[in-house]
Amino acid sequence: AGRGRMDRSFQSPKGQGVYLSLLLRPPLPPDRLPPVTALAGVSVCAAVERVCGLRPGLKWPNDPVLDGKKLCGILTEVSLEAETGRLQSLVLGIGINVLQQPGDFSPEVREVATSLAQVLGRPVSRPRLAAALLEELDRAYAALLAGDLSDYLAAYRRDCVNLGKQVQLLPFAGPRETALAVGVDGDFNLIVRDEQGRERTVRSGEVS
């Protein structure tokens, strides 16, 4: 019963993927937390590379992809104290498609989703992948607490499949726009250039 952003579902058939929720309580102010989802994306890519020998790309802001299709879903949820605004907890939900074949996805998802087994043509050990992922997330969490995300930013920029391409901006509210993705800033936000040559930073929403 995987749950995605904006009350979407994430198809998570039993025995075919790695699905986990990681509970964190970092002693950090909320303004230090926006990079968490990007760090999780880089961690997924690193874990897959360790176990499978190939590295996914990242579709901004947080979707690991292979062959242009979605491999993994990531959702970060934060709980704050109403009176003080202090962080109570952060839950990082991750679902990786590992053993699914096309028939395991519903028709509306089949054209946009893939799995490691589909791409590799062979099964992948879910326990090995889960262990590698937890190790990579542990490293990323240590980097977040230390305040040094330079290695993760470099990896994110390298892995981001949107850069240099025309993208459709899909804001949570408002009309779609077309722009050129030209960079990722120091906070993992997407820098785009519109048809008039004006650059701006996109901090929320999705791109296609």
Side-chain angles (χ1 to χ4, degrees):
R3 184 160 55 89
R5 285 188 294 175
M6 302 178 71
D7 295 324
R8 298 171 184 157
S9 64
F10 184 86
Q11 294 180 18
S12 47
K14 182 179 179 180
Q16 295 188 336
V18 170
Y19 318 113
L20 61 88
S21 293
L22 188 67
L23 174 63
L24 302 171
R25 292 191 172 92
L28 298 173
D31 61 6
R32 291 271 303 278
L33 301 180
V36 166
T37 305
L39 299 183
V42 173
S43 299
V44 169
C45 292
V48 170
E49 186 176 35
R50 283 173 53 185
V51 174
C52 302
L54 80 168
R55 190 175 183 96
L58 284 169
K59 184 173 80 70
W60 189 90
N62 64 344
D63 285 341
V65 294
L66 279 173
D67 293 345
K69 294 186 175 183
K70 185 168 180 172
L71 175 71
C72 171
I74 299 172
L75 178 66
T76 305
E77 296 183 313
V78 171
S79 176
L80 303 176
E81 291 181 356
E83 292 84 359
T84 65
R86 292 179 57 189
L87 176 72
Q88 287 186 313
S89 64
L90 183 153
V91 178
L92 190 59
I94 298 176
I96 306 175
N97 300 327
V98 181
L99 300 176
Q100 289 96 329
Q101 295 301 319
D104 296 315
F105 295 114
S106 66
E108 65 271 17
V109 171
R110 196 171 300 148
E111 296 304 312
V112 297
T114 191
S115 73
L116 292 172
Q118 279 183 246
V119 174
L120 294 169
R122 58 176 172 82
V124 173
S125 167
R126 292 186 304 133
R128 280 189 63 206
L129 182 61
L133 176 58
L134 290 172
E135 289 175 353
E136 294 296 338
L137 290 169
D138 196 48
R139 292 191 185 101
Y141 187 54
L144 178 71
L145 296 181
D148 182 6
L149 304 182
S150 55
D151 289 347
Y152 287 90
L153 183 60
Y156 189 95
R157 287 169 170 161
R158 182 189 66 230
D159 295 336
C160 185
V161 300
N162 305 104
L163 297 184
K165 297 179 181 177
Q166 291 285 340
V167 296
Q168 286 276 325
L169 305 179
L170 313 176
F172 293 134
R176 296 187 175 198
E177 300 177 62
T178 300
L180 178 68
V182 296
V184 173
D185 72 10
D187 295 319
F188 298 87
N189 300 312
L190 189 67
I191 304 170
V192 299
R193 182 183 302 136
D194 65 20
E195 295 175 349
Q196 288 72 44
R198 297 170 299 198
E199 291 190 2
R200 64 185 177 92
T201 301
V202 180
R203 295 180 171 82
S204 63
E206 300 178 3
V207 300
S208 175

